[in-house]
Amino acid sequence: MYNEYFGLEESPFSIAPDPRYLYMSEQHREALAHMVYGFNSDGGFVLLTGEVGTGKTTVCRCLLNQIPDTTAIAFILNPKMSVQELLATICDDFGILYSPDSTSIKVFVDLINTFLLDAHAGGRKVVLIIDEAQNLSAEVLEQLRLLTNLETSQRKLLQIILIGQPELRQKLSRPELRQLSQRIIARYHLGVLSRKEVSAYVSHRLSIAGIQDPLFPHSTIRKLYRISGGVPRLINVVCDRALLGTYTQSKQLVTPSTLKKAASEVLGEVQSGVSRSHRKTAAWILSVCILIIVSAVLAATYYKDRPQDTVMIGTEKADSPAPVELKTLYWPDNQPMDRSSTMSFQELFRLWGIAFQPESDVSPCEQAEAGSLLCYQDLGNMDLLRSFNSPAMLKLADNRGNEYYVALTVLKETTATIIVGSEVREVSLNDVESFWLGDYVLLWRPPHGYKDVIMPGEHNRVVPWLAKHLALFEGTTLETEKTFVYNDSLVRQVKRFQLAKGLIPDGIVGAQTLIHLNTAIGNDVPTLDEKQEDT
């Protein structure tokens, strides 16, 4: 309706996963790089996860545009089915004929195996892509693992790409699925866009649709970021309605008030912080509340009457050492919880030795960039943070339903030092894992000239820095010849380093590899095993 009015050739904010409109943020580039690496490897599973609307399916379709036409591909969009139904669907997508009244798992598996052997003999690769894979049952996932058992001495004959929401990662971490998890050769988790990326994302989509005019001023982009939280699908929905509203008002630019009204129409009442809560669905919060409600009621009197800053861990026995007094993770009643993110970022900035402006309109991550640092945010567990060995901001949820942020500054074997508001507390790791939602943000210092992930064979200004620091890590002498090409020799060094640090040895140099390298060689970075005496 509004396309002709604004001079657009087509609607720029359709939610269809059109690869032409894929905005390649650093995260999306790295996600696609991992997908390409997984496809070019010798089979197994490839895992791509992310919150609803972050662009997972679009990245996958972008991958499909790059693979040879000779590849046999099956794409399953609704995998909520039984083992027999899934196997039948796989046969349908690959064009494998079977008897209509067949219900035998063995019959389906034999037919699929025959198809895989024939494809291999004909030099064709076979790929199965499953979207919304968080809906797969453990039984179906195990059957998929069994399908990948067919292999030659060089490679497996079936490659499976799983795309799903964050709960898919949690499901694959279950003990009964550990064999499947061990077969994942490449994995990536897509996060949301930063405010700077939201501006670039909107401009990119408008450009693809045929115009270069800035229909969304900076003030509107700031409002859009707060409303959408950087989720691409929400950005599309809100911007589409905002352009319609601007058209009906006969205006040329989308104002913040028009955007807010549009958001209210398509998303409901817009409130500050809505975007952040989007990352953890209301259903998940409700399930947690149900699990803890009985214990919460029983403990209500106890929490009301006791001092809220300490809890005793352990039991006293005549021959046992005195119990250790550990602080709780509850937010201080006398401090503003809505400033928890700001207070936690302030602590991270202090540890890195750069100034932080808590009242600035510029986001913390943009302030970090001005100080030659970058934010890295993802979902993870305590083992992952221990491997990073870097102070981090964690998102917690207590059993009163409150969500807030804290700073993790020291990590020991069984305890951690956490900054809760302005208070320093030592807590048990069990407490942290009980309260922590898995979200974390940490700061890191990229090499000078770093812009994006580095792929094998690329010409990149960071390559000399990479060669020097890998030599320091390995204790070897750096070759005198200086090159900017990420060559095979350096790729092999990177893979050795990634393997040593528990990373996927794919040779792709992204944020995780560089963070580990900085920490490994002691590149003047704060770590979790150093006590911060001046806190």
Side-chain angles (χ1 to χ4, degrees):
M1 182 182 295
Y2 57 70
N3 289 348
E4 184 177 353
Y5 176 78
F6 289 111
L8 294 161
E9 297 173 2
E10 57 190 21
S11 298
F13 297 106
S14 168
I15 61 173
D18 187 341
R20 293 182 305 129
Y21 280 92
L22 176 61
Y23 168 68
M24 297 298 285
S25 69
E26 180 181 344
Q27 287 189 78
H28 288 84
R29 288 181 187 275
E30 195 162 350
L32 182 58
H34 278 73
M35 297 279 279
V36 170
Y37 166 79
F39 174 81
N40 290 329
S41 64
D42 297 327
F45 287 85
V46 177
L47 178 66
L48 178 63
T49 57
E51 289 290 349
V52 175
T54 49
K56 303 182 296 296
T57 304
T58 306
V59 168
C60 185
R61 293 190 182 276
C62 192
L63 169 71
L64 294 180
N65 287 344
Q66 301 184 28
I67 64 179
D69 294 335
T70 56
T71 306
I73 300 174
F75 204 137
I76 297 178
L77 298 175
N78 181 21
K80 200 168 187 179
M81 53 185 76
S82 68
V83 170
Q84 291 91 337
E85 290 170 336
L86 181 71
L87 293 174
T89 302
I90 292 173
C91 288
D92 291 338
D93 276 32
F94 282 132
I96 302 172
L97 299 179
Y98 60 90
S99 173
D101 56 354
S102 177
T103 59
S104 169
I105 291 178
K106 183 180 184 304
V107 169
F108 285 126
V109 170
D110 288 346
L111 288 171
I112 293 172
N113 284 343
T114 300
F115 172 78
L116 294 175
L117 289 169
D118 291 343
H120 176 66
R124 302 178 68 202
K125 187 165 187 174
V126 182
V127 179
L128 171 63
I129 302 173
I130 303 180
D131 204 356
E132 302 297 340
Q134 73 278 355
N135 293 322
L136 293 169
S137 67
E139 183 183 12
V140 170
L141 284 167
E142 175 61 14
Q143 182 60 60
L144 289 173
R145 182 188 70 81
L146 295 175
L147 285 180
T148 64
N149 280 344
L150 191 63
E151 58 188 359
T152 67
S153 57
Q154 287 83 31
R155 65 183 181 90
K156 292 185 178 296
L157 301 189
L158 176 64
Q159 183 170 74
I160 300 178
I161 298 176
L162 300 177
I163 306 171
Q165 296 172 26
E167 49 265 38
L168 175 59
R169 293 198 303 176
Q170 299 167 7
K171 181 175 289 187
L172 293 177
S173 66
R174 295 177 184 173
E176 64 268 25
L177 294 174
R178 63 185 181 279
Q179 292 187 67
L180 188 154
S181 186
Q182 291 167 1
R183 293 190 183 183
I184 298 175
I185 56 176
R187 65 178 77 204
Y188 194 81
H189 182 78
L190 268 177
V192 296
L193 301 176
S194 67
R195 188 176 71 176
K196 185 177 181 180
E197 289 172 333
V198 168
S199 178
Y201 175 86
V202 170
S203 298
H204 170 75
R205 295 191 73 99
L206 290 173
S207 175
I208 296 298
I211 65 171
Q212 302 294 329
D213 298 334
L215 299 182
F216 294 78
H218 292 307
S219 57
T220 305
I221 290 294
R222 286 196 295 271
K223 174 70 73 174
L224 175 62
Y225 174 66
R226 288 195 293 270
I227 289 173
S228 69
V231 177
R233 185 177 298 170
L234 293 183
I235 294 172
N236 291 350
V237 171
V238 172
C239 285
D240 180 71
R241 183 59 65 92
L243 285 177
L244 178 61
T246 303
Y247 159 71
T248 60
Q249 298 170 38
S250 299
K251 295 181 179 180
Q252 297 302 314
L253 297 177
V254 180
T255 64
S257 59
T258 299
L259 187 86
K260 182 177 180 181
K261 182 179 179 182
S264 298
E265 291 172 354
V266 296
L267 303 178
E269 188 64 28
V270 178
Q271 299 175 357
S272 175
V274 160
S275 59
R276 292 179 175 85
S277 65
H278 172 80
R279 299 178 61 195
K280 295 293 177 182
T281 63
W284 187 92
I285 295 297
L286 179 59
S287 66
V288 173
C289 290
I290 292 173
L291 290 173
I292 64 175
I293 191 167
V294 174
S295 59
V297 169
L298 293 175
T301 304
Y302 171 70
Y303 281 120
K304 178 180 178 181
D305 295 336
R306 74 176 177 91
Q308 292 196 5
D309 62 341
T310 62
V311 61
M312 303 302 290
I313 305 297
T315 58
E316 290 185 291
K317 295 182 180 180
D319 298 328
S320 301
V324 180
E325 184 181 78
L326 300 176
K327 304 285 183 166
T328 71
L329 279 169
Y330 286 94
W331 185 263
D333 291 335
N334 61 347
Q335 296 184 29
M337 187 179 294
D338 59 356
R339 289 179 54 80
S340 65
S341 174
T342 298
M343 299 171 81
S344 296
F345 265 119
Q346 192 160 10
E347 177 62 21
L348 291 188
F349 275 61
R350 187 192 69 78
L351 293 174
W352 279 90
I354 63 173
F356 178 65
Q357 303 297 327
E359 305 302 329
S360 173
D361 290 335
V362 180
S363 72
C365 289
E366 289 173 313
Q367 290 188 51
E369 192 170 348
S372 300
L373 300 177
L374 291 177
C375 286
Y376 182 80
Q377 52 189 5
D378 201 352
L379 292 172
N381 55 34
M382 201 54 63
D383 288 338
L384 179 66
L385 293 186
R386 194 182 295 277
S387 72
F388 277 133
N389 196 20
S390 179
M393 182 173 77
L394 312 181
K395 184 178 182 180
L396 307 184
D398 64 21
N399 56 15
R400 303 169 183 174
N402 300 316
E403 293 186 3
Y404 50 90
Y405 296 88
V406 300
L408 170 68
T409 61
V410 177
L411 188 57
K412 299 179 182 178
E413 184 176 352
T414 59
T415 65
T417 299
I418 303 287
I419 312 298
V420 187
S422 60
E423 299 181 8
V424 183
R425 301 178 182 177
E426 187 177 14
V427 302
S428 73
L429 291 188
N430 287 336
D431 280 356
V432 177
E433 290 169 344
S434 296
F435 280 59
W436 183 28
L437 295 175
D439 301 66
Y440 70 88
V441 181
L442 55 82
L443 301 179
W444 68 286
R445 181 177 292 116
H448 180 68
Y450 175 78
K451 299 294 183 184
D452 209 338
V453 294
I454 307 172
M455 300 292 293
E458 283 187 354
H459 185 279
N460 194 293
R461 292 173 57 193
V462 178
V463 169
W465 182 96
L466 184 63
K468 174 185 175 182
H469 287 75
L470 284 170
L472 288 173
F473 175 75
E474 294 185 341
T476 59
T477 303
L478 183 65
E479 296 180 3
T480 55
E481 181 183 358
K482 184 177 181 180
T483 177
F484 289 92
V485 178
Y486 186 28
N487 56 35
D488 291 343
S489 175
L490 196 53
V491 170
R492 287 193 293 271
Q493 281 185 274
V494 167
K495 287 183 177 181
R496 288 198 300 269
F497 175 79
Q498 290 172 328
L499 192 61
K501 294 300 177 182
L503 303 173
I504 296 173
D506 53 14
I508 300 169
V509 181
Q512 285 199 22
T513 298
L514 294 174
I515 292 169
H516 278 281
L517 189 53
N518 270 332
T519 305
I521 62 174
N523 231 4
D524 190 28
V525 297
T527 62
L528 290 174
D529 51 15
E530 295 178 352
K531 183 74 174 177
Q532 308 298 330
E533 298 294 348
D534 59 340
T535 299

